[in-house]
Structures are given as structure tokens and as C-alpha cells.
Amino acid sequence: MTEQTTFLELAQLFSALEATTKRNEKKALISSFLLQLREGEVQPVLAFLTGRVFPEADARVLDVGGRTVWRLERGVKQSLLDQTPLTILNVSQLFHEVSQVRGKGSRRRKEDLIERLLSQATPLERKYLIRLILGEMRIGVVEGVALDATADAASVDSSLVRRANMLMGDLGKVAELALSQGAAGLSRVQVTLFTPVKPMLATMSYDVAEVLSAQGGRMGFEYKFDGARVQIHLQGDEVKVFSRRLTDVTRSIPEVVDVAKTQITAEAALLDGEVIAYGAEGRPLPFQDLMRRFRRIHRVDTLTETIPLKLYLFDVLHLNGEMLIDRPYQERWRLLTKICKPTLLADRIVTDRVAEAQAFLNSAVKHGHEGIVAKTLNSRYTPGTRGKRWFKIKPVETLDLVITAADWGYGRRTGWLSNYHLAARNVETGEYWSVGKTFKGLTDEEFREMTCRLQQVKTRETPHTVYVKPHIVVEVAFNEIQRSSQYPSRFALRFARITRIRVDKRPEDADTLHRLQALYEQQFKYKSRLQLDVK
Ligand code: AMP
């Protein structure tokens, strides 16, 4: 028998967790399981429990599509004779191998690996492996339960575990530390330079008045830059930059490193901010262009000119050896202003007046930014949490679009037509041209209803997709219109989600491609356009 814990034992835990809705029971189950684990198993188990193949901060991805997994599952041979049992470490290792497959023929090789894994698994194991790969665990283990279970297993106060988790940004590492070194080890955890901290997040709010009245009194308002979050760690000559997902992006953005080295007057600091790409007239470029920079590791210099970056700082978490996360926001801001030039600071006002904050929101949009973030002046920096201290406020755009086809869902959405092809009206041809797809925004009930309604207007179908007469109109919210080579319309919506089913509208009332074009152009009223984009 193996020394390692089998994956079957973990699958049985998943099954027990799925069978109860009681938080305390879940906690007890996890806690006793953690105590039985052997070296190296705690980290993958914590990731798997919270529905992740790899830890949250990990840059590795499997990159295997949902359909592929279901297809492989169907092809798996049921014979399990003479199979050595899978262990947790085997599974974790295999996921790692899949993530490392690159280049030509990589799809096939990834599939082979997954197929091997599935064929080695018992039916129970297979069920959870598939859910894991698809990112749909549904065993009801949120991070909070996992943290409390860890605290119980290590016999330490849960606040210590939570604090360590915020500072270390990795549940698995925290659990390993808690179990091996207990309270003493956990309390030694500090904001450590060059170890990324989970960024503090903002809660969505619809308008300035709502935020001001709920918070009562003065608040700080900053532009919300539509870029990528960066966390800059700096000490002497050494600089490291981490992304929102805590991956090291230092090599992709040399000019940001340069700014940190030359324009911050501190011996050591941990700074929080946003990087945007900007174009010719100094206005921001769309998010799509920025991402090209963040993905690039090689030949970065060829892009530093076409897609230059600009850094905006809005917080400081550590300064010259001192941890600042428990100090109030206004004090952190004051310290930040002392160590950098005003040009590096996020545009900001402090006010208790709705009109002033509203004018500031309008000016943010006019300058090509996404909106504003309202921050309570006395708030601490709470890493990794989306609390009631930071509020993002942005004007949202919607379009009324027609559903022209829908894909059958898989996993939890099996049996529902749940991924909708959205189209705008082409007034010249009278056709409806796709501008994107979405499976977001509907309730289970609405999915069911929509499945029925769509089948009534079916024109043809393939195994995955039902094509329909243009009949149903939905209101779709989105964050940006992008250029796309995927659709004949040449447009695609970013973050499309259905906000309403417009039973009151006929397809002829839907928005046109002209309107899409106009909205797209309008984006550039305040944003720059990349030259190479004009194809
Ligand atoms: P969201 O990603 O929509 O949840 O919005 C929160 C994100 O806005 C943060 O994670 C930052 O990346 C970004 N952001 C842009 N400007 C600011 C700002 N001034 N303060 C805080 N976050 C900002």
C-alpha cells in the first residue's frame, strides 16, 4: 500500500461535504481530514477543496475545454482491474504536467494526459476530477470554511489564520504553516517585501449618492483606471511587480520597474496601483491592448513603444520597514504623496457633496477612464476582501440584442440551452449579425424558461447548438466593445451579461450594427486608438 493519501479518500470527503449544507459539519469534516494528511498534500488539498486545480495565486492553467473533458469522459474504459490507486499527489502532479504542455500537438498531449488520469480513476474519483477540471466543484466550500477548518485542525484562533491568509495570499501555504508551526508561526507572518499580498477589492455600487448616504460624511474619490492592478515591491535597487492574481509580471513591464526605481523616494516600499496603456494623445488605450503587454515576456521592447504604459499609484502598504495596512486610508495616502511625484498619483478628491463627486465621475469618463472608486477615509487596508470600504462606481452601457442561437450547457447546466449567441441588426441586409455570446445573468428558472422558448423557434440544430429564428430580445450589459476577427460584424462585447429579457421588444426594435459602431467610436472620444488596430 502506498504511504500517500489516496485520491479516493479525498473524493469521499468531497462527497460527504456535498451531502451537508451545514457549515459546522463541513468544517469538522475538513478539519479531521487535514489532520491525516502527509507531507506535501495540504497545499493541493486546499486548492481542490476550494474548487481550484492550482492555488489561487498560481499562474499555471490547464487550458482544457469543457467539451473536451466530457468527450474524454465518455470514452474512458471502465475496466479498473490491476490499477494502482490514484493518490492526491499523483493528481496534483498530473495537473502540473498538463499545464506545462506547450507548442504543436499540445492539445492532443493534454488530452492524452487527462484521459490517462480519468481512466485510472474510480467512478467517484472521476466525478470530482471532472468537476475540478471544469471549475465547478459545487461542494459548498468557500474560503472562509476552509480557513476555519484549518484553524480547528491546528488548534489556533481563526483570526490568526485569516490574517495570515490575507498577508500570504495562499490558503494552502497558510494551512501548511498553521499545521506545522501553529499560532507562533502564524503570528510571525507580516507584510513581507517580495511576497505578494492579496489586493484589497472594491464593491460595486450604482451611484455616488448611494455610497455617500450609506457611508455618511466625507470620502475619498479616485479615478478608476481601466487597466491592470499592480503591486510593486521595492527595496534599494531591487523591484518586483505582481499582478492582481499575484503572478510576477516584472519582466513584462520594464518601464514600470524603471519608474519604481527612479521616481519613488523610499528605501523600501510596497505600493498598490494600476497600470494602463495609453496612446498617441495621452489618452488610455482599450484594455485589450494592455493585455498584450501583460502576456508578453519575450521581445518586450518591441511593444514598449507601440503600447506604452502609465502607472497610477493609490496606496502604500509598507514603507521603510513599517507595515501600514492597519493605518487609516487617509494617512496611507498622505504617506504616499510624500514618496512620489503628483504625476504618479491617482487623480483624487475628498468630498461629502454628491454634486462634486458626480462631476468627478463625469470627468473620469471624459478622460477615458472607467469610473471612480469611493473610499472611506478611516478604512484599514484589508487584503483580499471586497468589503464596504471601497466602492466602484461606473456608468454601464446596455444594448438590446437578438438571440440567434444557443449552445447546450454542460456540467451543472446540462439540459439547458444556456450559452446565447447575441446579434445586432444589420439594417442593410435585414439579417442579425453576431457580436458575442454569454451565459451570464439569468437565474436557473430563466434558463429553463429560455430553453423552452428557444426550442419553439428552432430552425436547425447541431449536437451542440440550436439555431433559432430571430425572435427573443435581451438587454445586455457590457463593459467595452472590442474589435474582433471572430465575427463577421467585426465587433465583440467584453463582459456581456443579460440584464433583462425584453419581452416588450420585437427583433426589429433591437439595436443595430450602426449603433454598435457608433458606441465603439464613442469609446475613442476619450480613449486612444492604437495605430496597428486599423486593419
Ligand atoms: P473590479 O475589477 O471591477 O472589481 O474593480 C476593482 C479594480 O479596479 C481594482 O482591483 C483595481 O485593479 C482597479 N482600480 C482602478 N483604479 C483604482 C483605484 N483608484 N483604487 C482602487 N482600485 C482601482
Side-chain angles (χ1 to χ4, degrees):
M1 272 308 279
T2 168
E3 274 294 295
Q4 299 177 8
T5 311
T6 62
F7 192 74
L8 185 61
E9 288 168 82
L10 184 58
Q12 282 158 348
L13 171 71
F14 291 155
S15 178
L17 288 166
E18 197 178 350
T20 175
T21 51
K22 297 205 177 71
R23 195 178 193 279
N24 273 339
E25 278 176 22
K26 287 187 195 277
K27 192 170 78 170
L29 284 165
I30 299 172
S31 153
S32 62
F33 191 82
L34 289 179
L35 285 171
Q36 305 163 22
L37 292 177
R38 300 175 181 74
E39 209 187 329
E41 294 173 345
V42 174
Q43 292 204 33
V45 163
L46 262 299
F48 297 167
L49 271 169
T50 46
R52 295 190 175 93
V53 169
F54 300 113
E56 193 185 357
D58 209 303
R60 288 174 295 172
V61 285
L62 286 185
D63 200 16
V64 198
R67 290 203 188 288
T68 310
V69 179
W70 287 112
R71 180 166 52 72
L72 293 177
E73 202 255 343
R74 280 196 297 275
V76 160
K77 298 186 192 55
Q78 300 296 319
S79 155
L80 287 164
L81 295 174
D82 294 335
Q83 294 279 14
T84 38
L86 272 177
T87 66
I88 292 169
L89 292 183
N90 291 153
V91 173
S92 151
Q93 173 61 26
L94 191 125
F95 285 156
H96 172 72
E97 281 169 33
V98 174
S99 75
Q100 298 306 300
V101 176
R102 300 254 175 332
K104 204 160 163 264
S106 61
R107 236 181 86 179
R108 189 63 241 161
R109 273 184 291 147
K110 278 176 193 271
E111 288 181 12
D112 287 346
L113 286 166
I114 303 252
E115 197 167 7
R116 200 175 80 204
L117 176 70
L118 294 180
S119 62
Q120 243 183 295
T122 62
L124 185 72
E125 290 174 310
R126 197 147 58 226
K127 166 173 161 189
Y128 289 107
L129 283 170
I130 287 173
R131 289 197 192 175
L132 247 182
I133 298 171
L134 296 177
E136 298 196 357
M137 269 310 263
R138 286 182 291 119
I139 52 171
V141 178
V142 289
E143 192 173 81
V145 177
L147 286 169
D148 288 347
T150 303
D152 279 4
S155 308
V156 298
D157 200 89
S158 97
S159 64
L160 266 182
V161 174
R162 282 166 189 273
R163 176 180 166 282
N165 184 48
M166 288 175 179
L167 298 177
M168 292 171 70
D170 187 322
L171 197 58
K173 285 196 183 134
V174 171
E176 205 160 74
L177 179 69
L179 291 164
S180 62
Q181 298 183 30
L186 290 171
S187 14
R188 276 194 296 271
V189 177
Q190 281 296 346
V191 167
T192 319
L193 283 177
F194 304 108
T195 303
V197 177
K198 286 195 178 190
M200 179 162 172
L201 303 171
T203 301
M204 182 76 124
S205 174
Y206 290 98
D207 65 43
V208 166
E210 177 193 81
V211 169
L212 273 174
S213 75
Q215 297 300 306
R218 286 153 69 78
M219 294 183 88
F221 293 87
E222 298 168 8
Y223 278 3
K224 183 175 193 305
F225 305 97
D226 186 14
R229 187 81 172 258
V230 285
Q231 192 178 110
I232 303 172
H233 295 238
L234 135 120
Q235 184 156 41
D237 249 1
E238 197 185 348
V239 172
K240 263 198 176 151
V241 188
F242 297 96
S243 72
R244 175 187 178 130
R245 291 190 54 200
L246 313 189
T247 44
D248 187 335
V249 292
T250 316
R251 288 210 292 159
S252 308
I253 48 177
E255 61 268 61
V256 173
V257 173
D258 214 48
V259 167
K261 280 189 179 160
T262 56
Q263 298 185 34
I264 306 291
T265 48
E267 188 41 44
L270 198 174
L271 305 159
D272 192 2
E274 187 93 351
V275 162
I276 64 164
Y278 66 93
E281 316 87 49
R283 292 183 177 282
L285 283 168
F287 184 76
Q288 201 176 10
D289 300 319
L290 174 67
M291 281 302 106
R292 297 195 210 182
R293 282 297 311 269
F294 269 71
R295 278 195 295 266
R296 183 73 71 106
I297 303 179
H298 306 293
R299 295 193 301 117
V300 170
D301 49 332
T302 56
L303 279 185
T304 49
E305 275 175 31
T306 33
I307 311 180
L309 302 181
K310 170 138 181 56
L311 170 69
Y312 288 100
L313 295 173
F314 48 76
D315 222 314
V316 51
L317 279 57
H318 173 115
L319 184 57
N320 299 332
E322 216 179 316
M323 170 148 114
L324 303 175
I325 60 169
D326 294 325
R327 305 266 195 97
Y329 155 62
Q330 78 211 84
E331 193 180 330
R332 296 196 309 275
W333 179 272
R334 192 177 52 79
L335 291 169
L336 181 64
T337 62
K338 294 216 163 117
I339 58 168
C340 69
K341 288 204 198 106
T343 48
L344 280 183
L345 292 170
D347 301 69
R348 175 180 186 262
I349 60 164
V350 174
T351 186
D352 57 359
R353 293 184 40 230
V354 173
E356 203 176 328
Q358 185 59 48
F360 191 65
L361 170 61
N362 298 343
S363 112
V365 173
K366 229 179 223 154
H367 285 89
H369 304 299
E370 232 189 330
I372 53 177
V373 184
K375 302 184 176 179
T376 51
L377 292 175
N378 60 4
S379 58
R380 295 192 304 149
Y381 191 97
T382 50
T385 50
R386 203 181 280 287
K388 299 248 174 263
R389 299 177 186 94
W390 287 10
F391 301 87
K392 50 187 175 189
I393 307 167
K394 41 187 169 181
V396 206
E397 199 68 72
T398 62
L399 282 169
D400 293 328
L401 299 171
V402 178
I403 298 181
T404 50
D407 305 328
W408 288 106
Y410 49 82
R412 201 174 91 78
R413 290 184 283 269
T414 301
W416 295 343
L417 286 167
S418 57
N419 194 22
Y420 307 111
H421 302 214
L422 307 165
R425 201 152 51 90
N426 180 333
V427 279
E428 278 81 33
T429 65
E431 294 165 323
Y432 293 88
W433 284 20
S434 277
V435 294
K437 291 187 196 182
T438 188
F439 54 86
K440 298 219 172 87
L442 296 190
T443 62
D444 288 2
E445 191 49 45
E446 286 169 326
F447 273 131
R448 274 187 213 106
E449 226 180 277
M450 195 63 116
T451 306
C452 275
R453 287 185 61 195
L454 286 167
Q455 278 172 309
Q456 288 161 10
V457 285
K458 175 164 83 184
T459 53
R460 66 191 171 92
E461 65 187 317
T462 65
H464 300 311
T465 308
V466 169
Y467 294 85
V468 296
K469 269 191 249 162
H471 184 67
I472 300 173
V473 181
V474 285
E475 180 186 80
V476 177
F478 59 91
N479 285 40
E480 192 177 271
I481 302 174
Q482 302 184 322
R483 270 286 177 212
S484 161
S485 49
Q486 198 186 341
Y487 299 113
S489 69
R490 311 272 312 266
F491 293 117
L493 303 180
R494 179 170 164 227
F495 292 138
R497 62 241 177 231
I498 297 178
T499 39
R500 250 186 317 161
I501 303 172
R502 296 294 308 247
V503 277
D504 55 325
K505 284 212 165 182
R506 294 165 306 160
E508 309 82 277
D509 304 326
D511 279 311
T512 61
L513 286 170
H514 287 308
R515 174 148 149 79
L516 228 82
Q517 173 80 39
L519 284 174
Y520 177 75
E521 292 300 328
Q522 224 177 65
Q523 293 177 167
F524 293 102
K525 189 163 155 210
Y526 305 127
K527 276 188 182 165
S528 273
R529 199 190 295 252
L530 199 61
Q531 287 315 311
L532 67 231
D533 205 30
V534 196
K535 287 188 210 108

